[in-house]
């Protein structure tokens, strides 16, 4: 007897109707919006404002480093998980953090609205940083809430889909709508109105359900068993990793402050390119290489039975609880990954770091490029980038998921890393007038097709460029998310996924600083071509990973508890 076809997942307005049927799903609709709106306003739209008031691209590039808060959010996720907020805890375990972050977001948007970036860039950057920090922390709390409250009636899969749906709606509001509004009113008023939207979501937060705090017995039990690393050794490993991460964060923040503070007469800002070239590699060493090395040492000690517990450890207390949480957040996930992948972890981490090079580095400069360099209007950019572009991105994500299932994992990942390289050449052509884009558009009939809808040649160039970019990055993003999902262990699913996905922002975020200065010095077209060349490094790592998983599949049949579980299709 043939098996019944799998039920189709709800999409679009069908998903919206489902979201309103239960209190939890309706709340997730608000939480997804509250998560997506700050990201759109702080990482993308804010740069359109700065470009309009003639802030140089090097400064915009440095300010874009506020996006590193999303890369490092796993560092303080144990704090969000464990700490009861004085005075707010009565709201709920997760609601208290979400409401606090939303309050900070409202204040930061109001601060941005009250600050003139041409006169007080330091204060402006501080408000933007506080907003990004609150947004990243809110994401941690919302993700935890989504998992906590899920039940049979409102599954985590449904809540995730609802969150993604409302996140995309927020992207349109914080992108396209904000640009259209900015064409008709001042930027400060736009951000005040956006602060009002977040304030409305606070009402949803206060009425949301929540779950009680649970004991930490399982965490203590796992780390107190014989054979686990002794507390002093865990503390030393955590200290090394913590100092490395702290140094990297402090170094980046100190340079941002130096770059954004007012200059004395005749003084010059330090070179972003020099900082990235001289200090950037050490930041990568501190945030990636040192934790990997510590993880390898931890595994070696446990294998050899050195510095491990010989009897159950029954010591408890606030200090031990904090140590255990931080250790599980910062050391255990990488330790498990290194132990499972061994030397292959170098290829995996290299691929994760380089994969988004071609499409993650220049995102902060998109609006200055469209508005100030190419002189498109805000309405044109809003339509092309935030309406047409989002639909093309969704098409790319769907196509990426289809290819992942039908063509296999590694072919799709290779396509995902190759298409953005080509996309950079398309952008280079657009920067130089779009002659090649025009020839292709005329040759395949797209010029006539889009012209029938009233778009002139100039608008067609923008639509085709953004369409190609968003489809290619949609494929790349879908393939990459699926890839990371197959790499993580079931024992550390949430933490390893957060850690590995955070690494994807690291190189791109650091690179934005040097990209801004490079755009000023060499022009857009030249930098786009350099970015395409840098994407070749990602291709090399993808090919190495393809070889690794092919050999793994040939010599070791997949098992449910290991990485090979996801490597049958490759």
């Amino acid at each position: 007897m043939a098996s019944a076809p799998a039920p189709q997942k709800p999409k679009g307005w069908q998903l919206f109707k489902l979201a309103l049927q239960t209190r939890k799903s309706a709340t997730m609709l608000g939480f997804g919006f509250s998560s997506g709106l700050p990201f759109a306003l702080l990482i993308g739209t804010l740069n359109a404002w700065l470009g309009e008031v003639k802030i140089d691209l090097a400064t915009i590039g440095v300010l874009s480093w506020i996006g590193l808060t999303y890369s490092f959010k796993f560092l303080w996720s144990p704090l969000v998980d464990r700490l009861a907020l004085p005075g707010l805890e009565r709201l709920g375990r997760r609601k208290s953090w979400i409401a606090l972050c939303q309050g900070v977001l409202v204040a930061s948007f109001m601060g941005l609205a009250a600050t003139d970036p041409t006169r007080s860039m330091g204060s402006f950057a501080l408000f933007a940083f506080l907003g990004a920090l609150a947004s990243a922390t809110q994401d941690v709390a919302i993700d935890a809430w989504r998992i906590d409250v899920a039940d049979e009636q409102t599954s985590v899969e449904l809540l995730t889909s609802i969150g993604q749906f409302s996140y995309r709606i927020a992207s349109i509001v914080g992108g396209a709508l904000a640009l259209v509004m900015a064409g008709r009113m001042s930027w400060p008023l736009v951000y005040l109105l956006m602060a009002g939207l977040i304030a409305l979501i606070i009402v949803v937060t206060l009425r949301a359900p929540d779950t009680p705090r649970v004991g930490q017995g399982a965490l203590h039990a796992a780390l107190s068993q014989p054979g686990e690393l002794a507390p002093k050794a865990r503390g030393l490993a955590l200290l090394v990793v913590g100092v490395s991460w702290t140094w990297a964060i402090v170094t980046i923040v100190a340079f941002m402050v130096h770059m954004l503070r007012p200059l004395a007469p005749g003084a010059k800002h330090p070179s972003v390119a020099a900082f990235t070239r001289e200090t950037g590699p050490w930041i990568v060493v501190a945030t990636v290489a040192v934790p990997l090395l510590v993880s390898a040492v931890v595994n070696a000690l446990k294998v050899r039975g050195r510095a491990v517990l010989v009897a159950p450890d029954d010591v408890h207390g606030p200090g031990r609880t904090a140590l255990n949480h931080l250790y599980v957040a910062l050391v255990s996930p990488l330790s498990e990954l290194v132990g499972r992948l061994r030397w292959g972890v170098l290829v995996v981490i290299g691929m994760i770091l380089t994969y988004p090079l071609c499409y993650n580095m220049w995102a902060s400069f998109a609006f200055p490029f469209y508005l100030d360099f190419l002189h498109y209007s805000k309405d044109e950019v809003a339509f092309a980038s935030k309406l047409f572009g989002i639909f093309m991105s969704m098409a790319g994500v769907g196509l990426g998921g289809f290819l992942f299932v039908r063509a296999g994992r590694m072919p799709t990942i290779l396509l995902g890393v190759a298409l953005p390289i080509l996309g950079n050449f398309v952008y280079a052509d657009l920067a130089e007038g779009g002659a090649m884009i025009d020839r292709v558009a005329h040759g395949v009939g797209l010029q006539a097709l889009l012209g029938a809808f009233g778009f002139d040649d100039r608008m067609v160039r923008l639509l085709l460029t953004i369409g190609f970019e968003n489809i290619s990055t949609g494929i790349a993003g879908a393939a990459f998310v699926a890839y990371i999902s197959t790499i993580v262990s079931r024992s550390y699913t949430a933490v390893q996924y957060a850690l590995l996905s955070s690494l994807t922002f690291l190189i791109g975020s650091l690179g934005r600083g040097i990209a801004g200065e490079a755009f000023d010095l060499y022009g857009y077209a030249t930098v786009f071509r350099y970015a395409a060349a840098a994407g070749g490094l990602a291709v090399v790592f993808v090919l190495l990973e393809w070889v690794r998983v092919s050999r793994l599949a040939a010599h070791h049949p997949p098992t449910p508890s290991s990485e090979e579980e996801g490597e049958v299709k490759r």
Side-chain angles (χ1 to χ4, degrees), residues 245-267:
W245 277 98
T246 301
W247 173 85
I249 295 172
V250 169
T251 300
I252 292 170
V253 171
F255 184 79
M256 286 181 64
V257 171
H258 195 178
M259 274 291 296
L260 298 175
R261 69 185 181 187
L263 285 173

Side-chain angles (χ1 to χ4, degrees), residues 37-52 170-180 182 187 190-191 194 363-364 367-368 371 386:
L37 187 63
F39 188 87
L41 290 169
L42 294 170
I43 305 302
T45 305
L46 190 68
N47 299 316
W49 180 358
L50 297 176
E52 184 176 293
S171 297
I172 295 175
V173 173
L177 182 60
L179 282 176
V180 171
W187 278 109
V190 170
Y191 272 75
M194 295 298 165
S364 296
F367 286 143
L371 296 169
K386 294 301 180 180

Side-chain angles (χ1 to χ4, degrees), residues 483-567:
Y483 167 77
I484 294 179
S485 299
T486 62
I487 286 293
V488 300
S489 164
R490 289 186 177 181
S491 301
Y492 295 96
T493 302
V495 180
Q496 280 188 354
Y497 185 86
L499 180 61
L500 294 178
S501 60
S502 293
L503 290 179
T504 64
F505 291 96
L506 181 60
I507 298 296
S509 296
L510 288 174
R512 288 175 195 146
I514 191 172
E517 187 170 299
F519 283 136
D520 276 334
L521 291 175
Y522 307 113
Y524 281 99
T526 300
V527 178
F528 283 135
R529 293 190 178 98
Y530 278 126
L537 184 60
V539 173
V540 171
F541 275 110
V542 169
L543 294 175
L544 289 174
E545 174 65 356
W546 197 338
V547 171
R548 187 189 73 83
V549 297
S550 297
R551 290 180 176 176
L552 197 64
H555 292 91
H556 301 284
T559 59
S561 60
S562 68
E563 170 207 12
E564 293 92 316
E565 174 182 327
E567 293 187 352

Side-chain angles (χ1 to χ4, degrees), residues 295-311:
S295 299
V297 171
V298 166
N299 290 339
L301 289 174
K302 292 172 69 173
V303 168
R304 297 174 183 177
R306 300 177 61 182
V308 298
L309 294 170
V310 295

